[in-house]
């Protein structure tokens, strides 16, 4: 049995469903805010607002080894990173003003630069 990557699978489900919510679990411990914010934003766009993120910090040393780490960071460190991760992801999502996405087939442009604000985040982890 194949185990598909959840966001890819939910994107495929999104185009074939209309009335179900689409939730995926994603860890803040071994990901970066920009990539996950972009991935969930894409799913939300494809699904027309049906995307949800089950935020986890991971807990197993087996998972840590998948990311070339010998041990999982301790609980306090994982949760401190998760708090800042969510702060950054939310800033990224909120940085897109209404009307920022304006696909233009003639010019090949997809968004309006002036409607996307840099977040200028400076934190302990990001």
């Amino acid at each position: 049995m194949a185990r598909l990557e959840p966001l890819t699978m939910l994107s495929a489900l999104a185009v074939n469903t209309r009335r179900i919510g689409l939730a995926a679990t994603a860890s803040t411990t071994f990901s970066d805010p920009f990539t996950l914010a972009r991935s969930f934003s894409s799913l939300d766009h494809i699904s027309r607002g049906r995307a949800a993120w089950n935020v986890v910090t991971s807990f197993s040393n087996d998972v840590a080894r998948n990311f070339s780490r010998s041990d999982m960071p301790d609980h306090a460190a994982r949760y401190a990173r998760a708090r800042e991760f969510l702060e950054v992801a939310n800033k990224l999502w909120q940085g897109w003003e209404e009307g920022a996405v304006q696909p233009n087939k003639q010019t090949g442009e997809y968004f309006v630069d002036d409607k996307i604000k840099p977040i200028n985040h400076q934190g302990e982890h990001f």
Side-chain angles (χ1 to χ4, degrees), residues 5 8 10 12 14 22 24 29 43 45 48 56 61 71 78 80 82 88 90 92 94 96 98 106 109 111 113 115 126:
E5 187 280 319
T8 303
L10 292 178
L22 304 163
T29 302
L43 176 60
H45 180 74
R48 296 185 177 158
V56 298
N61 284 331
D71 294 313
R78 292 194 321 270
V88 172
N90 278 307
L92 288 164
Q94 293 168 5
W96 287 65
E98 189 69 34
Q106 286 74 35
E109 295 174 342
F111 55 84
D113 282 335
K115 293 185 177 273
F126 307 104

Side-chain angles (χ1 to χ4, degrees), residues 1-2 5 7 13 33 41 51 66 91 116 119 121 123:
M1 177 173 141
E5 187 280 319
L7 289 169
L13 285 172
S41 183
N66 283 336
K91 284 180 180 180
I116 303 169
I119 67 169
H121 181 85

Side-chain angles (χ1 to χ4, degrees), residues 84 87-88 91 118-126:
E84 187 178 347
E87 179 184 346
V88 172
K91 284 180 180 180
I119 67 169
N120 299 317
H121 181 85
Q122 297 288 321
E124 180 182 344
H125 302 279
F126 307 104

Side-chain angles (χ1 to χ4, degrees), residues 21 60 68 84 93-94 99:
S60 165
S68 301
E84 187 178 347
W93 289 324
Q94 293 168 5

Side-chain angles (χ1 to χ4, degrees), residues 20-99:
I20 62 170
L22 304 163
T25 298
S27 177
T28 58
T29 302
F30 300 110
S31 301
D32 67 89
F34 178 82
T35 302
L36 272 186
R38 185 176 185 201
S39 296
F40 276 96
S41 183
S42 294
L43 176 60
D44 196 59
H45 180 74
I46 291 166
S47 70
R48 296 185 177 158
R50 294 180 290 135
W53 176 15
N54 177 36
V55 179
V56 298
T57 64
S58 300
F59 64 90
S60 165
N61 284 331
D62 290 338
V63 173
R65 286 189 283 279
N66 283 336
F67 292 91
S68 301
R69 311 262 172 80
S70 58
D71 294 313
M72 183 66 65
D74 70 38
H75 183 273
R78 292 194 321 270
Y79 278 76
R81 177 183 165 91
R83 276 188 291 281
E84 187 178 347
F85 193 112
L86 290 171
E87 179 184 346
V88 172
N90 278 307
K91 284 180 180 180
L92 288 164
W93 289 324
Q94 293 168 5
W96 287 65
E97 294 178 9
E98 189 69 34

